[in-house]
Every structure is written in structure tokens, then in C-alpha cells.
Amino acid sequence: DIQMTQSPSVLSASVGDRVTLNCKASQNINKYLNWYQQKLGEAPKLLIYNTNNLQTGIPSRFSGSGSGTDYTLTISSLQPEDVATYFCFQHNSWPTFGAGTKLELK
Amino acid sequence: QIQLVQSGPELKKPGESLKISCKASGYTFTDYAMQWVKQAPGKGLQYMGWINTQTGKPTYADDFKERFVFSLETSASTAYLQINNLKNEDTATYFCARADAWGQGASVTVSS
């Protein structure tokens, strides 16, 4: 199975900061990479699909990029409601999730 | 709007069985496979597999081939996850999901 490594595991940032979360695959996943946001006690929510496509209803401060094995989720201006854990998910082959990045407010 | 509504929390003893339901609405049930995801307490997401909602054919991750059963009641737009011979390590929240919509999760606690 493809291993997905997210970094950092915990990120502390201030409101208004530009935040970058990373996800590295153990092999080429051909941009079949989704990003999910999970707030405490809730189900995950799809933010970005296939690397850089913003899901309907998701604020434009979220964006995704990447190719090959390396992918990034960027929040252009962090808001208090963005506190959550973020998971990457590859569906190029047998689907696998990353372990998550916990985003906290500084 | 698209909704996946799961059954309520379960408290079971080791060795028992349970069946979680996931009722879909707001779309044609057979147009999308239904996926299942496990989240143990305080842990990440583990992909369990999916069921083809047109054919009923399930596909399981290696860790879920033994005691786990995906099934459908297509007339009711409902998918099911059955777990047999429950073990303590099955304690988790189980989600049904399309790629773009998730159920609210079903909490399962296994304890003697």
C-alpha cells in the first residue's frame, strides 16, 4: 500500500497567518489526492479533491497544489474556525490516509 | 442535499455482533460506491473498503477481511456494516462515506 506522510504533525499559527500543510506519498499518486478537515467530534469534510479542486462551499482561502509524490494544502489567511485536524487521502491505488496534521491557534 | 445518516451508538461485549446502518438521501444511491472508514479513539482514519452499490460486491482492506461484512438494502438506499465476534480493538467510530459526503459516524464501544 502507498504510505502517506503528513508534516508537521502539529502546527501552531496565529489568525491571519499563511499556513502550509504537507503530504508526501511513498510513490507517485498522479494527483489523486484529497484533503479533508475534521473538527473535534465531527465527521471529516472534503476541502480539496484531486490536488487542486476546491469543493463546493469551501472558502477560497483554502487551496491545494502538488504533483508526483509531494502535495500541499495552503490556508492563505488562518481563521479561528480553521482549528481542526487535516488529513490527506490518496485514491490512485488502494486508498490510504495520512496520519493528520493538527492545526492549533497560537 | 446529500445526506448520509448513520445509526446510533452501540455498547457491546466481546464476542457479540452488531450491524451499523447508513441511510443515503439526496442522490441516486446506486450512482456512487459506499465506503467505510474506522477511527479509533484519538487516532487517525483507517480505510476499511467499499461496496459497489450497483452489484453489491464488497471489497475489503486486509485488516477487515475476517469479521467485517458490507451489505446493502438498495430499495431503502441503505448500506450496512456488520462486525462479528467483536473485540476490544473494534472500539471506534465508524463512518460511511462517499468521497464528498460523510455520515455523522457511529460510535461502537466493546467492553466486558
Side-chain angles (χ1 to χ4, degrees), chain A residues 58-78:
Chain A
I58 301 302
S60 59
R61 65 180 180 273
F62 291 92
S63 64
S65 63
S67 63
T69 61
D70 294 294
Y71 297 85
T72 298
L73 174 70
T74 299
I75 307 173
S76 60
S77 177
L78 185 66

Side-chain angles (χ1 to χ4, degrees), chain A residues 18-96:
Chain A
R18 182 179 181 87
V19 170
T20 300
L21 286 64
N22 302 296
C23 182
K24 186 175 183 66
S26 59
Q27 62 192 73
N28 182 9
I29 56 171
N30 297 302
K31 297 192 173 187
Y32 289 108
L33 189 284
N34 296 351
W35 288 95
Y36 290 91
Q37 176 194 64
Q38 187 178 32
K39 296 182 179 180
L40 199 62
E42 297 183 6
K45 179 196 297 185
L46 178 66
L47 301 176
I48 302 284
Y49 62 95
N50 295 343
T51 296
N52 56 10
N53 297 281
L54 191 67
Q55 175 67 359
T56 302
I58 301 302
S60 59
R61 65 180 180 273
F62 291 92
S63 64
S65 63
S67 63
T69 61
D70 294 294
Y71 297 85
T72 298
L73 174 70
T74 299
I75 307 173
S76 60
S77 177
L78 185 66
Q79 299 302 303
E81 60 267 31
D82 300 336
V83 168
T85 299
Y86 292 81
F87 295 96
C88 61
F89 171 77
Q90 70 79 22
H91 53 105
N92 179 68
S93 57
W94 182 263
T96 49

Side-chain angles (χ1 to χ4, degrees), chain B residues 12-30:
Chain B
K12 293 289 188 180
K13 291 181 167 45
E16 293 183 335
S17 296
L18 65 76
K19 195 170 188 177
I20 295 166
S21 67
C22 171
K23 181 168 179 58
S25 61
Y27 71 99
T28 302
F29 182 67
T30 51

Side-chain angles (χ1 to χ4, degrees), chain B residues 10-101:
Chain B
E10 302 264 12
L11 174 59
K12 293 289 188 180
K13 291 181 167 45
E16 293 183 335
S17 296
L18 65 76
K19 195 170 188 177
I20 295 166
S21 67
C22 171
K23 181 168 179 58
S25 61
Y27 71 99
T28 302
F29 182 67
T30 51
D31 280 353
Y32 294 84
M34 189 65 74
Q35 304 173 93
W36 290 93
V37 175
K38 176 183 177 182
Q39 187 168 38
K43 302 295 185 182
L45 302 169
Q46 187 176 11
Y47 193 83
M48 300 174 67
W50 75 86
I51 184 164
N52 184 316
T53 53
Q54 292 187 342
T55 65
K57 179 180 185 293
T59 302
Y60 301 98
D62 286 345
D63 287 348
F64 300 99
K65 286 183 176 176
E66 293 294 323
R67 301 179 292 109
F68 297 80
V69 180
F70 305 152
S71 62
L72 303 172
E73 186 179 353
T74 305
S75 62
S77 297
T78 300
Y80 298 95
L81 166 63
Q82 180 168 328
I83 310 175
N84 299 318
N85 186 21
L86 282 158
K87 303 178 184 300
N88 290 336
E89 55 263 38
D90 296 328
T91 293
T93 298
Y94 293 87
F95 295 98
C96 61
R98 287 176 21 167
D100 59 344

